[in-house]
Amino acid sequence: MCGLDRSTCLTVFFDISSSEKPDPSGNSNQLLYIQILKGVLHYQSPDGQTNLRVTTTSRRWKDSVVGSEELVQGFDQETAAVVMARLVSHKMEMEDDPSSFTLNPCFSLFPQFMFNLRRSQFVQVFNNSPDETAYFRMLLNRESIANAAVMIQPSLISYSFNSLPTPALLDVASISADRILLLDSYFSVVIFHGMTIAQWRNMGYHNQAEHQAFAQLLEAPREDAETVIGDRFPVPRLVICDQHGSQILLAKLNPSATYSNAHEMAAGSEMIFTDDVSLQVFFEHLQRLAVQSS
């Protein structure tokens, strides 16, 4: 590796051979066991000194053939999503056709991460140069779980007059004319103004003393965006746009409303013109696959 820092987080895959797996017909105490892992790291510090660091840790291992209760209790959905993204990125570099996933519907957030992973820059490399794709995958493989999870599934914050800033669904339904959205996809930070908010801003209402609340509403997402950008390296790209003026936010949202179901939407609702499936269709397809495989 070229370098390590405080936020570096690496993934190591272990291929357990059949001879090392516990025998389900044997002693039940062998079905849940502990293995000791030791990692040896040689690195050179900024002052030129060569150091050796040895880390020893223990992990509990469970044979999934016997039961899944222990696996469910210890399952971290964000970590699993990041590991899967790193594995897919590796397979796409090594194989022409990456393997499909087998997902357990009991893990409610995991399918959402997989839905956004298949739409992310790690899998959809169209319009990205080979250098950009390599850069994205390099950061995916070295950043912390929290940062890598944002790369896969961006966070979305809603700002309005009626409430404090609150997390919003990563869905086109979150767009509203009187709302400001702040999207953090790690590589870029987007401030998206609803149509009414943009019109009021263009008319200069925020510069008038009687509309201080509106001025504060405009400033809140900017301050939060600056906080995100200031704490991150490499520095993400800041994009400020308005409704009907940019597609960068729409490309990250779940297309639950498209031209194919426009007749089901209320008048004035935002739609995404795409042939991509929505999260609901994706999840229903996974359920059909699970039934077929059983």
Side-chain angles (χ1 to χ4, degrees):
M1 294 190 63
C2 297
L4 300 172
D5 55 41
R6 295 179 179 178
S7 65
T8 300
C9 177
L10 306 178
T11 300
V12 179
F13 294 93
F14 293 92
D15 186 8
I16 303 178
S17 63
S18 57
S19 61
E20 296 176 346
K21 295 181 180 179
D23 183 7
S25 61
N27 190 346
S28 60
N29 293 331
Q30 296 178 350
L31 302 182
L32 180 62
Y33 58 101
I34 297 177
Q35 286 191 352
I36 305 299
L37 305 177
K38 177 176 289 187
V40 180
L41 174 65
H42 294 268
Y43 67 95
Q44 187 176 28
S45 60
D47 58 5
Q49 182 178 1
T50 300
N51 300 314
L52 171 63
R53 180 175 180 177
V54 179
T55 303
T56 303
T57 183
S58 63
R59 290 291 183 269
R60 301 173 65 190
W61 296 79
K62 176 68 177 180
D63 188 358
S64 59
V65 176
V66 179
S68 60
E69 184 63 26
E70 291 285 342
L71 293 177
V72 171
Q73 293 178 0
F75 188 80
D76 188 318
Q77 301 185 66
E78 290 189 350
T79 301
V82 172
V83 170
M84 186 65 72
R86 293 176 176 179
L87 179 61
V88 169
S89 295
H90 174 71
K91 284 183 173 293
M92 291 192 68
E93 294 177 351
M94 304 299 295
E95 304 175 3
D96 294 332
D97 184 17
S99 302
S100 59
F101 309 125
T102 301
L103 301 177
N104 188 331
C106 294
F107 306 133
S108 59
L109 297 180
F110 196 52
Q112 298 180 36
F113 280 108
M114 295 300 98
F115 171 77
N116 288 287
L117 170 61
R118 60 180 285 276
R119 306 173 72 228
S120 70
Q121 62 270 21
F122 307 117
V123 177
Q124 302 294 336
V125 298
F126 182 73
N127 279 341
N128 291 332
S129 68
D131 289 342
E132 288 176 317
T133 300
Y135 167 74
F136 294 146
R137 291 173 175 172
M138 178 194 69
L139 290 181
L140 172 68
N141 286 325
R142 62 163 290 146
E143 283 297 324
S144 65
I145 294 298
N147 288 340
V150 172
M151 298 179 195
I152 302 169
Q153 180 169 295
S155 65
L156 189 66
I157 306 296
S158 172
Y159 300 80
S160 65
F161 287 109
N162 301 324
S163 63
L164 296 173
T166 56
L169 291 176
L170 198 65
D171 192 288
V172 65
S174 296
I175 295 179
S176 177
D178 59 350
R179 181 182 299 174
I180 303 176
L181 298 177
L182 175 62
L183 177 82
D184 178 13
S185 63
Y186 190 85
F187 300 106
S188 61
V189 176
V190 181
I191 300 177
F192 182 89
H193 301 96
M195 182 173 57
T196 301
I197 298 292
Q199 291 174 349
W200 290 350
R201 181 204 59 207
N202 294 338
M203 296 174 65
Y205 285 174
H206 58 292
N207 296 322
Q208 302 176 12
E210 61 270 23
H211 296 297
Q212 287 301 310
F214 179 57
Q216 294 173 0
L217 178 63
L218 288 178
E219 188 63 24
R222 288 177 177 266
E223 293 178 351
D224 292 343
E226 291 175 358
T227 300
V228 171
I229 294 174
D231 293 339
R232 185 170 298 164
F233 182 82
V235 178
R237 180 167 60 112
L238 176 62
V239 178
I240 301 177
C241 58
D242 301 333
Q243 188 176 3
H244 308 309
S246 175
Q247 298 293 318
I248 188 170
L249 174 71
L250 300 182
K252 296 294 185 179
L253 300 181
N254 171 37
S256 60
T258 65
Y259 64 89
S260 60
N261 62 347
H263 61 281
E264 302 175 0
M265 309 307 300
S269 299
E270 185 74 22
M271 291 190 299
I272 298 179
F273 292 90
T274 179
D275 292 327
D276 195 9
V277 299
S278 65
L279 174 60
Q280 181 180 0
V281 174
F282 176 77
F283 189 72
E284 291 174 353
H285 181 63
L286 290 181
Q287 289 180 314
R288 288 195 296 267
L289 288 178
V291 172
Q292 292 174 1
S293 62
S294 60

